[in-house]
């Protein structure tokens, strides 16, 4: 009996990025990333799809650890790509031309032997993802900037979509879920609408100065950090902003 050859199963692309504290925020970010093209790129340019190797070569603005002061996010992200980069004179697309803002974004950012338009596409997609997320839920967009969930977002917003700069300014006042050393005393709110967010304010000897799941139920989690707090430890809260 002859057997019919079977077709290989089509493999689904691997998901990138870690899980966030709130499923609803993840869904919004996924929805915002559905459309990949149509940002600020100048001139008619063919659609491109980054390979895993190309995506890995694009410098990640969140690669450096956040400082330990009241603001969790670096104000000036690193621009340099690791290793040799494409000189400015060769920053030209296959068709059309780059705008002045796009050239500023690409300066020192394109690894050698990589298409500058592919690197620009990463920045454009970051703008689209943050912008569309903010249209649905501003807190979700700010939280994504605080946690670094959208790579290259800081630099992309600065050069490619400056209308989103107010979101960066807000995110600069917040910090991600986890352990925060020497937090500024005051009230904070978690950027999640789900249950499971817990927090503790610990003193110099590790004593619990304040704790709780927040006030107002699962839809609004707030915490009051008293003076003398040496560590603000949170879990399941995604990110925090001053209340």
């Amino acid at each position: 009996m002859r057997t019919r050859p079977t077709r290989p199963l089509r493999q689904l692309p691997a998901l990138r990025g870690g899980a966030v504290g709130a499923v609803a925020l993840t869904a919004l970010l996924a929805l915002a990333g559905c459309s990949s093209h149509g940002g600020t790129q100048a001139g008619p340019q063919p659609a491109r799809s980054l390979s895993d190797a190309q995506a890995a070569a694009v410098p990640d603005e969140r690669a450096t650890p956040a400082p330990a002061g009241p603001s969790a996010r670096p104000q000036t992200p690193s621009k340099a790509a690791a290793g040799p980069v494409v000189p400015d004179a060769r920053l030209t697309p296959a068709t059309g031309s780059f705008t002045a803002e796009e050239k500023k974004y690409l300066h020192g950012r394109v690894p050698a032997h990589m298409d500058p338009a592919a690197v620009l596409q990463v920045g454009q997609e970051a703008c689209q993802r943050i912008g569309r997320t903010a249209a649905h839920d501003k807190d979700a967009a700010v939280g994504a900037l605080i946690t670094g969930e959208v790579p290259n977002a800081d630099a992309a917003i600065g050069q490619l979509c400056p209308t989103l700069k107010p979101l960066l300014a807000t995110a600069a006042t917040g910090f991600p879920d986890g352990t925060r050393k020497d937090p500024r005393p005051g009230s904070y709110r978690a950027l999640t609408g789900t249950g499971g967010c817990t927090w503790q304010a610990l003193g110099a000897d590790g004593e619990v100065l304040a704790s709780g799941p927040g006030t107002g139920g699962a839809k609004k989690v707030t915490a009051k950090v008293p003076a003398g707090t040496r560590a603000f430890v949170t879990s399941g809260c995604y990110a925090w902003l001053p209340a």
Side-chain angles (χ1 to χ4, degrees):
M1 177 181 297
R2 297 179 62 186
T3 59
R4 180 178 298 176
T6 58
R7 296 180 179 178
L9 293 177
R10 181 178 298 174
Q11 295 182 348
L12 295 176
L15 295 177
R16 294 183 179 181
V20 298
V23 175
L25 301 185
T26 306
L28 280 173
L29 289 168
L31 175 64
C34 288
S35 175
S36 300
H37 305 284
T40 59
Q41 187 168 345
Q45 300 191 15
R48 294 175 173 84
S49 178
L50 292 180
S51 66
D52 289 342
Q54 287 177 319
V58 176
D60 187 345
E61 304 306 322
R62 306 292 307 190
T64 56
S71 176
R73 306 170 64 258
Q75 297 299 311
T76 306
S78 173
K79 291 184 178 181
V85 298
V86 176
D88 290 354
R90 292 175 52 196
L91 292 176
T92 56
T95 60
S97 60
F98 292 133
T99 67
E101 290 74 17
E102 290 168 346
K103 289 181 179 179
K104 289 179 181 178
Y105 174 76
L106 293 172
H107 171 71
R109 193 180 302 278
V110 183
H113 309 298
M114 179 176 285
D115 183 2
V119 178
L120 176 62
Q121 179 183 319
V122 174
Q124 291 173 329
E125 290 176 347
C127 284
Q128 293 169 6
R129 195 175 178 190
I130 292 296
R132 291 192 177 117
T133 301
H136 291 278
D137 187 335
K138 183 178 178 180
D139 277 354
V142 172
L145 291 172
I146 291 174
T147 60
E149 188 171 348
V150 181
N152 303 287
D154 289 26
I157 289 175
Q159 299 295 340
L160 303 178
C161 47
T163 58
L164 300 180
K165 283 185 176 181
L167 296 177
L168 275 181
T170 300
T173 66
F175 49 88
D177 197 24
T179 299
R180 189 71 179 161
K181 297 294 186 180
D182 298 320
R184 182 175 300 169
S187 296
Y188 296 87
R189 63 184 182 92
L191 300 184
T192 178
T194 64
C197 172
T198 60
W199 60 273
Q200 285 187 327
L202 305 180
D205 297 326
E207 71 274 20
V208 178
L209 304 180
S211 65
T215 60
K219 292 185 178 181
K220 184 178 180 181
V221 179
T222 61
K224 291 186 177 181
V225 177
T229 298
R230 292 293 174 263
F232 182 52
V233 183
T234 73
S235 177
C237 306
Y238 189 48
W240 294 85
L241 283 176

